[in-house]
C-alpha cells in the first residue's frame, strides 16, 4: 500500500492521507454516537411502555353485578389506548382468566412476576395492580381486586429507528470522507502552487539554458521558500561559473586566433626557404627538403584552418563585399582539376552574389569538393552547382560514391571527425570549416539523402544587387 502511495503525486498523497484520517475519526465518532443513540432510543422506548402501562393501571376498574355475580372491565377503551402506539394490551385475573384485551392480541401467558419481557418481536411490560370495584350504579366498593396488565409494542419499530440513525451516521461518514478528500485535493493543489512555479521556472531554464533567470520566491518563509532560495543560490553559482568559463573560452579563442595569425609569417618564411632549398639541393638532401616542404605546406593549411575557425568562434569578421559564389566555385574547381585523381568533376554555376569574404567562400567550396574527391573511389562523378533561389544562393555538391556512413551522419560537421577514406591525409576540419563559413555568412549547410552518394547543400542569403541575366559557366576537369 505504501509503495502504491509513493507512486502518486504529493497532492493526492496528502488528500488520501487526510481523507483516511477523517474516515477513521468519523467512523469512531459514528460508532460511539450510534451506540449511545441506540441505547438511548431503546431506553426511551422501554420507559415509554412502562409509563403507558402505569398510566393505564391507574385508569382501570372493574364493574361487578352483585345480583348475578358477573364482572366486566371498566375504565378506558383498550382500542383507543392502543391506537396511539399500535400497542397490544391484555388485562387478566391472577388465575389467568382474561378480563379484557385488544383484538388479535397474542397469548403471552401469565408471565408473572416478571416486569418486562420479550415475546415474538414484542416488548411486554407487566404490572400486577389491585383495582377498584364499581357496581352498575357507579358506587365504589371498599374491596380491591388484583389484576395483571400486559402492555406490548413491536420492537421492530424502534429497531427501524436505530437502523435509520445508523444509516444517517454511515452516510455522514462517507460524505465527510469524500468532502475531506475533495478539500485535501484542492488544498494540496493550492499548497503545491509554489512548487509548481519552481518546476515551471526550472523547465524554462532547462529549455533556454539560461541560469541567469530568477526563481520565483514564495511569500511564506517555509520549506518551499528555503528550496527556492537554495535553487536561486545554485543558479547564481552556475551563472558565475558560466561567465568564468565563457571568459576563459573567449581568451582562449583570442589566443588561438592571434597565435594562428602570428604563425603565418614564420611559416611563409620557412616555406620560401624550403622551396629554395628543394630547387638547389639534389639527392637525399633534396628529398629531405621536398618532404619538409610538403609538411610545411600542410602545416600552413592547418594553421589557416585553425585561424578561420578561431575567427568564427571569436565572432571576428573580415571585411565583406559583394562576391559571386558562382565564380568562386569555378576558381575552386580549377584549383582541384589537376588533383581530381581519376574523378569526373562537373561544375554548373550561375551568377549568385552574396555579401561575404571571398577567401572564406573559396575555402568553403574547395573543402566541399575536396571532401567528395577524397571519400569516393576513382571514376566517381562529382557535380557542383550554384544557383539563386528565392532570395537565397544555393551551393550543392553531390557525388555518386558510397555516401556518408550512418554512424557519421550526426557528427559529420564536428571538428576532427574523419571518415574511413581519409587515410590520415585530412585534419578532420574540412566540413567543420564549411559549417563555420556558412553560419558566419548567415547561412546553413545540410547533408541531404542521395542514393547513391552524398549531397551537401549550402544556403546563403543573397545580396541585394541589381538583377542581371545569369551567365552559365560550365567547366569540366
Amino acid at each position: 500500500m505504501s509503495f502504491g502511495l509513493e507512486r502518486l503525486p504529493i497532492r493526492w498523497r496528502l488528500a488520501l492521507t487526510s481523507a483516511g484520517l477523517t474516515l477513521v475519526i468519523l467512523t469512531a465518532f459514528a460508532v460511539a454516537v450510534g451506540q449511545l443513540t441506540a441505547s438511548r432510543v431503546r431506553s426511551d422506548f422501554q420507559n415509554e411502555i412502562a409509563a403507558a402501562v402505569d398510566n393505564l393501571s391507574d385508569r382501570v376498574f372493574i364493574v361487578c353485578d352483585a345480583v348475578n355475580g358477573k364482572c366486566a372491565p371498566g375504565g378506558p377503551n383498550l382500542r383507543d389506548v392502543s391506537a396511539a402506539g399500535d400497542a397490544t394490551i391484555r388485562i387478566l385475573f391472577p388465575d389467568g382468566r382474561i378480563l379484557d384485551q385488544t383484538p388479535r392480541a397474542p397469548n403471552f401467558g401469565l408471565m408473572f412476576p416478571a416486569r418486562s419481557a420479550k415475546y415474538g418481536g414484542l416488548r411486554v411490560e407487566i404490572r400486577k395492580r389491585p383495582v377498584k370495584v364499581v357496581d352498575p350504579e357507579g358506587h365504589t366498593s371498599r374491596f380491591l381486586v388484583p389484576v395483571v396488565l400486559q402492555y406490548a409494542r413491536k420492537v421492530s419499530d424502534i429497531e427501524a429507528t436505530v437502523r435509520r440513525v445508523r444509516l444517517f451516521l454511515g452516510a455522514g461518514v462517507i460524505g465527510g470522507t469524500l468532502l475531506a478528500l475533495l478539500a485535501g485535493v484542492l488544498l494540496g493543489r493550492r499548497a503545491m502552487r509554489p512548487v509548481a512555479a519552481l518546476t515551471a521556472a526550472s523547465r524554462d531554464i532547462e529549455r533556454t539554458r539560461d541560469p541567469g533567470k530568477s526563481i520565483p520566491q514564495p511569500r511564506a518563509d517555509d520549506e518551499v521558500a528555503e528550496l527556492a532560495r537554495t535553487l536561486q543560490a545554485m543558479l547564481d553559482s552556475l551563472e558565475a561559473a558560466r561567465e568564468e568559463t565563457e571568459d576563459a573560452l573567449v581568451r582562449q579563442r583570442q589566443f588561438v586566433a592571434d597565435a594562428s595569425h602570428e604563425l603565418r609569417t614564420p611559416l611563409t618564411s620557412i616555406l620560401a626557404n624550403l622551396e629554395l632549398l628543394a630547387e638547389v639541393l639534389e639527392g637525399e638532401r633534396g628529398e629531405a627538403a621536398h618532404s619538409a616542404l610538403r609538411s610545411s605546406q600542410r602545416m600552413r593549411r592547418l594553421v589557416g584552418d585553425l585561424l578561420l575557425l578561431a575567427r568564427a568562434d571569436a565572432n571576428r569578421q573580415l571585411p565583406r563585399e559583394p562576391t559571386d559564389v558562382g565564380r568562386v566555385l569555378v576558381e575552386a574547381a580549377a584549383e582541384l582539376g589537376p588533383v581530381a585523381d581519376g574523378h569526373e568533376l562537373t561544375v554548373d554555376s550561375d551568377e549568385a552574389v552574396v555579401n561575404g569574404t571571398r577567401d572564406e567562400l573559396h575555402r568553403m567550396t574547395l573543402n566541399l569538393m575536396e571532401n567528395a574527391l577524397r571519400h569516393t573511389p576513382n571514376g566517381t562523378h562529382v557535380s557542383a552547382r550554384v544557383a539563386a533561389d528565392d532570395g537565397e544562393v544555393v551551393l550543392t555538391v553531390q557525388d555518386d560514391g558510397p555516401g556518408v556512413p550512418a554512424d557519421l551522419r550526426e557528427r559529420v560537421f564536428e571538428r576532427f571527425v574523419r571518415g574511413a577514406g581519409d587515410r590520415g591525409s585530412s585534419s578532420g576540419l574540412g566540413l567543420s570549416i564549411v559549417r563555420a563559413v556558412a553560419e558566419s555568412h548567415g547561412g546553413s549547410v545540410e547533408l541531404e539523402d542521395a542514393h547513391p552518394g552524398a549531397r551537401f547543400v549550402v544556403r546563403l542569403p543573397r545580396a541585394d544587387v541589381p538583377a542581371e541575366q545569369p551567365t552559365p559557366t560550365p567547366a569540366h576537369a
Side-chain angles (χ1 to χ4, degrees):
M1 181 66 178
S2 60
F3 178 73
L5 285 177
E6 290 177 356
R7 299 175 62 181
L8 295 175
I10 294 179
R11 62 177 181 272
W12 277 104
R13 276 185 276 171
L14 293 174
L16 290 175
T17 302
S18 174
L21 292 175
T22 303
L23 176 62
V24 172
I25 295 172
L26 290 180
T27 300
F29 178 78
V31 170
V33 171
Q35 292 294 338
L36 293 174
T37 303
S39 177
R40 181 62 181 271
V41 169
R42 292 189 180 104
S43 176
D44 290 345
F45 176 71
Q46 191 167 349
N47 293 335
E48 183 179 346
I49 297 177
V53 71
D54 290 339
N55 180 55
L56 177 62
S57 65
D58 294 338
R59 300 165 59 190
V60 172
F61 61 94
I62 299 175
V63 178
C64 291
D65 190 353
V67 177
N68 54 23
K70 293 183 178 179
C71 293
N77 189 337
L78 295 186
R79 289 189 177 183
D80 297 337
V81 174
S82 65
D86 192 18
T88 299
I89 305 173
R90 300 179 77 213
I91 302 176
L92 298 88
F93 289 109
D95 58 0
R97 290 178 295 123
I98 299 174
L99 177 63
D100 195 7
Q101 65 179 5
T102 55
R104 295 185 299 277
N107 185 8
F108 301 135
L110 193 57
M111 299 179 70
F112 187 80
R115 288 181 59 88
S116 179
K118 280 188 177 181
Y119 180 88
L122 296 174
R123 168 63 66 177
V124 184
E125 285 291 326
I126 306 164
R127 299 289 186 272
K128 184 179 180 181
R129 296 285 179 85
V131 297
K132 60 185 179 180
V133 178
V134 179
D135 60 18
E137 286 76 16
H139 299 98
T140 302
S141 172
R142 294 178 299 171
F143 300 99
L144 297 176
V145 177
V147 295
V148 176
L149 284 81
Q150 296 176 341
Y151 188 96
R153 287 180 60 181
K154 294 180 181 178
V155 179
S156 59
D157 296 339
I158 198 63
E159 292 300 326
T161 302
V162 172
R163 285 195 298 271
R164 284 195 295 271
V165 170
R166 290 175 175 172
L167 178 62
F168 291 149
L169 289 174
V173 170
I174 296 175
T177 303
L178 293 177
L179 288 176
L181 178 62
L182 178 60
V185 171
L186 296 177
L187 291 176
R189 181 177 298 176
R190 184 179 182 87
M192 293 301 293
R193 282 181 183 175
V195 178
L198 294 180
T199 302
S202 300
R203 286 178 178 171
D204 186 51
I205 293 173
E206 177 190 10
R207 179 179 57 82
T208 60
R209 296 185 176 182
D210 182 12
K213 292 187 175 182
S214 298
I215 292 291
Q217 299 294 321
R219 296 180 180 179
D221 189 11
D222 54 9
E223 291 80 359
V224 178
E226 180 65 22
L227 174 61
R229 288 193 292 267
T230 303
L231 289 176
Q232 186 61 55
M234 180 188 68
L235 290 176
D236 294 340
S237 299
L238 290 176
E239 176 67 12
R242 188 183 71 166
E243 292 177 355
E244 293 176 0
T245 302
E246 288 182 350
D247 292 341
L249 288 176
V250 169
R251 291 192 297 269
Q252 181 182 5
R253 289 166 184 165
Q254 291 176 350
F255 170 76
V256 173
D258 295 338
S260 300
H261 181 74
E262 294 298 329
L263 283 174
R264 298 182 69 179
T265 300
L267 276 176
T268 302
S269 177
I270 291 173
L271 285 170
N273 291 328
L274 287 175
E275 289 175 355
L276 178 61
L277 289 175
E279 291 179 359
V280 300
L281 295 179
E282 297 179 356
E284 293 183 358
R285 293 183 177 181
E287 289 296 330
H290 281 287
S291 177
L293 178 60
R294 289 192 296 271
S295 297
S296 299
Q297 289 173 342
R298 184 180 178 188
M299 183 183 296
R300 180 175 65 177
R301 182 167 183 178
L302 179 59
V303 169
D305 292 343
L306 291 175
L307 177 59
L308 193 151
L309 291 175
R311 285 173 178 167
D313 291 340
N315 293 324
R316 294 184 180 179
Q317 292 185 359
L318 295 177
R320 303 287 175 86
E321 60 182 7
T323 304
D324 185 2
V325 181
R327 184 175 298 276
V328 171
L329 177 64
V330 172
E331 293 174 355
E335 184 177 337
L336 288 176
V339 293
D341 200 16
H343 292 76
E344 181 182 355
L345 179 60
T346 303
V347 175
D348 182 10
S349 64
D350 296 340
E351 182 180 11
V353 179
V354 300
N355 189 28
T357 303
R358 188 179 190 85
D359 290 342
E360 293 182 356
L361 295 173
H362 179 86
R363 180 69 60 82
M364 179 184 69
T365 56
L366 185 68
N367 284 2
L368 280 175
M369 290 186 291
E370 190 176 25
N371 178 74
L373 296 175
R374 181 180 292 113
H375 294 89
T376 55
N378 292 341
T380 301
H381 177 241
V382 179
S383 62
R385 183 175 184 274
V386 171
D389 181 21
D390 192 21
E392 289 184 333
V393 172
V394 181
L395 167 63
T396 306
V397 177
Q398 182 174 348
D399 62 72
D400 55 4
V404 179
D407 58 336
L408 289 180
R409 292 184 67 88
E410 299 296 330
R411 302 184 299 115
V412 69
F413 293 106
E414 297 179 4
R415 298 176 186 182
F416 303 108
V417 174
R418 299 181 181 181
D422 281 345
R423 298 182 296 274
S425 60
S426 171
S427 63
L429 297 176
L431 292 179
S432 62
I433 289 176
V434 171
R435 182 173 66 177
V437 173
E439 292 179 352
S440 67
H441 284 74
S444 63
V445 58
E446 294 179 354
L447 170 61
E448 297 182 352
D449 293 331
H451 301 286
R455 178 167 62 245
F456 291 88
V457 179
V458 177
R459 290 180 172 84
L460 301 174
R462 188 177 181 185
D464 295 330
V465 296
E468 297 181 2
Q469 293 296 328
T471 56
T473 311
H476 301 274

